[in-house]
Amino acid sequence: MTFRKFAFLFAVVAIAAAAALAGMREAATSSEIAYVTEEEGGISEIDLSTMKVIRRVQPSGIAPRGLAVTFDGKYVITSNKDTSDIAIFSTPQLDLVKRIHIGDNPEFIKIDPSASRLFATYEPSSQGGPPGAAKEPAKGNAKPDTKSDASQDKGKDGKSKSKDNDSDDENGPPAQIASFHVGDWAPGPVSTAGQETEGIEFSRDGKQMLVANESQETIGVFDEATGQHLRDVDLKAYGIRPRGVKVSPDGNAYAVTMESSGTLLKLDSKLNVVKSVPTGAKPYGLTFDRAGKRIFVSAAMARKLQVFSADSLNLLAEIPTGQRCWHFTFTPDDSKILLACGRSGNVVVIDANSYKPLQTIEGFKLPWGIVTYPRSYGSLGLP
């Protein structure tokens, strides 16, 4: 073999080895990921082994809020406030696969326990259309959200959400819950909920879907398979504006946050209220821990994460956070908690057991939601 041929062969082998090593590094650093939706900035990926942002995408016209990742980790789905649609991205590169128009003000999305269907809430207007209908996305990015922390009790139209000042949302058409088959994204049943529907949860057997109706102070209960409305659970006696709802890991209890009154409720498996305690100002996102022993609540205006005993609802701890931290997630190993803090433009990392703040990841544009893969417990994630 001539020297020239040997050198060429060596170069080919070296390039191949470098590519393989790069692939191994990518796989190693991307085995556990947090996805963050940013209302002004698209979607970011955080490598949970380094707590560093490794990828950002910002498709034209997408200003995402609601967020979910499929059980197999192949797709990330967002709901997009300015374009009345949901968007499906393939992982790991976050390539845009499909956009589906649903209706005005899409917000909360969640995949059912069978992993087969995606549910999305939206608040229809005269411009809204049926789920699955094609629509060209609006061009340009979301307008900057300049509201201060003091205005977080205002509706999406900027009007007060207090009971003394009814908003247009409260008097408008009821919210809808669209459903889609995961994978081919074929539309399924659409359910009519109350005004300003927020959080979605499922019973542990997956047979019932629960939604928080902010303006009516109720939890709506639906048949998961057909979308049929079964009943409403009236919470008016306990507080104002239910927003988050989560089922316990064993399915024997539910927790609900009521934003305007600053209230945490515990309900039994039949949705009877068994206990109520005050929280910090403007609670939204909440979750049980994996063991079902603690309930974590993000009190957005109080700028703290609160920890309650799941049995007694006694307050166990309070951890300072950033501004408007609506949603948060555990890491897959349950050791840390990451909070998406919208007004601060960062993600706050906290030790899940000592409750000590560990670090802050900067550089986000109005972060709204956060989930992980592998999927973990969180306000938008498990159970």
Side-chain angles (χ1 to χ4, degrees):
M1 180 181 292
T2 67
F3 177 78
R4 181 177 294 178
K5 288 183 177 179
F6 178 80
F8 175 77
L9 181 61
F10 179 81
V12 170
V13 171
I15 292 171
L21 181 60
M24 291 172 62
R25 286 174 177 168
E26 174 73 13
T29 58
S30 303
S31 59
E32 292 190 351
I33 293 292
Y35 299 97
V36 181
T37 49
E38 302 169 64
E39 292 185 74
E40 293 179 10
I43 309 167
S44 293
E45 289 185 12
I46 300 171
D47 183 332
L48 293 176
S49 66
T50 63
M51 291 297 171
K52 293 182 178 179
V53 175
I54 58 172
R55 182 176 290 109
R56 279 194 167 101
V57 299
Q58 189 171 359
S60 176
I62 286 183
R65 291 188 291 191
L67 175 67
V69 59
T70 56
F71 285 30
D72 59 10
K74 291 183 178 180
Y75 300 100
V76 169
I77 307 99
T78 67
S79 61
N80 309 304
K81 66 175 184 178
D82 291 341
T83 49
S84 303
D85 63 1
I86 61 172
I88 298 102
F89 300 85
S90 64
T91 60
Q93 300 298 323
L94 292 180
D95 296 318
L96 180 60
V97 173
K98 189 178 184 67
R99 296 180 73 165
I100 306 172
H101 175 70
I102 56 175
D104 193 49
N105 262 326
E107 186 157 4
F108 206 99
I109 56 177
K110 192 172 178 68
I111 297 172
D112 73 355
S114 72
S116 62
R117 292 210 294 161
L118 171 79
F119 292 78
T121 64
Y122 65 100
E123 297 168 21
S125 69
S126 58
Q127 285 78 34
K135 181 180 180 180
E136 285 295 317
K139 295 182 179 179
N141 298 324
K143 295 180 179 179
D145 187 342
T146 58
K147 291 183 291 185
S148 68
D149 247 17
S151 66
Q152 287 180 41
D153 60 337
K154 293 186 179 181
K156 300 174 186 69
D157 57 2
K159 296 183 179 180
S160 172
K161 284 189 172 186
S162 70
K163 299 309 289 183
D164 296 327
N165 272 314
D166 287 341
S167 72
D168 289 345
D169 289 332
E170 292 177 353
N171 299 319
Q176 306 289 304
I177 309 163
S179 65
F180 302 88
H181 183 264
V182 171
D184 62 11
W185 312 109
V190 177
S191 304
T192 297
Q195 269 72 31
E196 296 186 83
T197 293
E198 292 286 343
I200 301 175
E201 185 56 286
F202 297 93
S203 58
R204 290 300 283 148
D205 61 10
K207 293 182 179 180
Q208 293 185 343
M209 175 175 64
L210 285 67
V211 299
N213 298 316
E214 270 197 271
S215 293
Q216 295 172 311
E217 279 79 54
T218 64
I219 297 294
V221 184
F222 297 81
D223 181 86
E224 190 274 348
T226 65
Q228 179 183 359
H229 179 242
L230 301 176
R231 64 184 176 114
D232 287 321
V233 180
D234 191 342
L235 302 178
K236 292 184 182 67
Y238 303 97
I240 303 171
R241 290 190 173 275
R243 203 150 189 214
V245 54
K246 296 294 287 190
V247 66
S248 64
D250 62 11
N252 292 329
Y254 295 87
V256 174
T257 51
M258 304 193 77
E259 182 188 30
S260 291
S261 57
T263 310
L264 171 65
L265 303 180
K266 181 180 177 181
L267 291 73
D268 64 20
S269 60
K270 296 182 180 179
L271 299 176
N272 299 305
V273 176
V274 296
K275 194 169 182 61
S276 169
V277 296
T279 69
K282 305 298 181 194
Y284 184 5
L286 80 163
T287 189
F288 288 83
D289 65 7
R290 192 180 300 271
K293 299 297 185 181
R294 297 172 295 174
I295 299 172
F296 291 75
V297 174
S298 183
M301 190 176 287
R303 303 183 189 181
K304 55 190 175 184
L305 181 69
Q306 297 183 297
V307 188
F308 296 85
S309 164
D311 289 332
S312 64
L313 295 192
N314 289 336
L315 182 63
L316 303 177
E318 294 183 318
I319 310 102
T321 63
Q323 300 178 43
R324 204 206 76 172
C325 306
W326 273 345
H327 291 292
F328 62 95
T329 182
F330 280 84
T331 52
D333 65 359
D334 299 326
S335 67
K336 301 178 183 70
I337 296 171
L338 284 74
L339 297 98
C341 299
R343 302 278 183 256
S344 302
N346 55 27
V347 169
V348 175
V349 185
I350 293 170
D351 187 288
N353 297 302
S354 70
Y355 308 133
K356 293 181 179 178
L358 299 176
Q359 69 181 96
T360 301
I361 308 171
E362 301 288 351
F364 299 89
K365 299 178 181 179
L366 267 181
W368 191 96
I370 183 167
V371 297
T372 71
Y373 190 81
R375 298 172 75 247
S376 50
Y377 277 69
S379 59
L380 301 177
L382 295 174

